[in-house]
Amino acid sequence: MTQAPDPADRDGRASARHTPGTPCWVSLMVHDMTATQGFYGELFGWEFEPGPAQLGPYVRARLDGRQVAGIGLLPPDRHLPVAWTPYLASDDVDVTAETVRLCGGTVGVGPLDAGEVGRLVLGSDPSGAVFGVWQVPGERGGAAGGRPGAPLWNELRTFETANVAKFYASLFGYEERRPESGGAGAGEEAADRVTLCLDGRPVAGILGAGPALRHDGGPHWLTYFEVADTDAAVERLTGLGGRVVAPAHDTARGRTATVTDPEGARFAVLQRGGTGADGRRAAG
């Protein structure tokens, strides 16, 4: 994975107004909401409440009383992939949507109002990876963060980083940080990687995986959820009907594994600076 942020804001505090370009929400559209809520409730300890009516059947997941993620129902007549989608904050979602089009991306849904939670759009970058943009009302606080069960990091898996990084930089003015020679962590090989930064702060990553990405369904965003123990989380996940895509391994930022839920939505779990099953502490 690319460079995830350091362990700051572990108490979950967030600014009432998200900096444009910062991932501010993750959402999942599924075929069976009841079963999906049961899966993530058991895995991460999430509780659920009804979401905005404008989004159709939709629930907001909460962790220790703070919002974590959204889960909605896929329309039965639309054959769309089941996938986690990150939303990037914007001060003006209509302007951002137009910039997406001008820079070679596609707007698939919106811009549309979602009641008291703001205004959003769903689109794809020039490589085809789907992402959202969310204009959050200024008085609303951020989602939960800095605790097991909360989203920690988002990384774009794409064919190559150069062109797609320019696309996202055109939207939000990201600074690009590439790893120094020999900067890969334990269990990681040198690769085509970029960390997207705002004011020097890492906010998201891009990994250029090359032609091998075609075997993984093409370009897509991968959301990392923090866990207290990666190996225990993977064992719990498989017991709940999930599947392991990439087994748990140590990286420079902790111990991680790539997995799917029972409907096939791919995500990763990450134990920051954790100790692996063999007793070794992750590098970094």
Side-chain angles (χ1 to χ4, degrees):
M1 63 180 290
T2 48
Q3 183 182 9
D6 289 318
D9 298 326
R10 280 195 177 273
D11 58 358
R13 289 178 298 179
S15 170
R17 188 173 182 83
H18 292 283
T19 302
T22 302
C24 59
W25 190 244
V26 289
S27 189
L28 174 66
M29 302 297 288
V30 299
H31 299 288
D32 188 335
M33 289 182 62
T34 300
T36 299
Q37 290 176 67
F39 172 82
Y40 286 102
E42 290 289 335
L43 181 63
F44 293 137
W46 292 354
E47 298 178 339
F48 300 91
E49 65 180 15
Q54 293 89 340
L55 300 180
Y58 191 85
V59 295
R60 287 180 290 206
R62 286 187 174 269
L63 182 66
D64 297 331
R66 296 180 64 88
Q67 295 183 22
V68 179
I71 298 175
L73 184 67
L74 278 169
D77 58 339
R78 299 187 67 181
H79 301 287
L80 299 174
V82 177
W84 280 102
T85 301
Y87 282 74
L88 308 175
S90 172
D91 280 338
D92 191 325
V93 74
D94 295 84
V95 171
T96 303
E98 185 59 28
T99 306
V100 168
R101 296 187 184 97
L102 292 174
C103 292
T106 301
V107 173
V109 177
L112 57 84
D113 288 316
E116 77 283 0
V117 300
R119 188 165 169 80
L120 59 86
V121 69
L122 195 64
S124 57
D125 64 30
S127 75
V130 176
F131 67 100
V133 180
W134 186 22
Q135 183 178 338
V136 185
E139 69 276 9
R140 293 185 65 85
R147 68 193 71 187
L152 173 64
W153 185 246
N154 291 280
E155 182 175 77
L156 173 62
R157 304 292 178 90
T158 188
F159 293 115
E160 54 83 28
T161 63
N163 290 324
V164 75
K166 290 179 181 178
F167 168 81
Y168 287 99
S170 297
L171 297 184
F172 297 112
Y174 295 122
E175 309 143 22
E176 298 178 28
R177 181 186 299 168
R178 293 184 179 272
E180 298 178 1
S181 177
E188 292 183 302
E189 298 179 355
D192 179 17
R193 298 177 182 273
V194 174
T195 300
L196 302 178
C197 301
L198 292 171
D199 299 323
R201 178 174 61 92
V203 295
I206 303 177
L207 170 64
L213 190 67
R214 292 189 176 90
H215 300 295
D216 293 329
H220 61 275
W221 281 90
L222 183 70
T223 296
Y224 288 75
F225 293 90
E226 184 168 0
V227 293
D229 185 318
T230 292
D231 297 275
V234 169
E235 183 178 358
R236 188 181 314 120
L237 174 139
T238 55
L240 293 168
R243 183 173 64 88
V244 176
V245 176
H249 61 282
D250 292 328
T251 73
R253 288 290 170 174
R255 188 164 176 81
T256 185
T258 304
V259 296
T260 74
D261 66 21
E263 287 204 20
R266 185 173 299 199
F267 61 99
V269 292
L270 174 65
Q271 176 187 352
R272 287 198 278 194
T275 301
D278 57 3
R280 290 186 298 110
R281 186 169 180 80

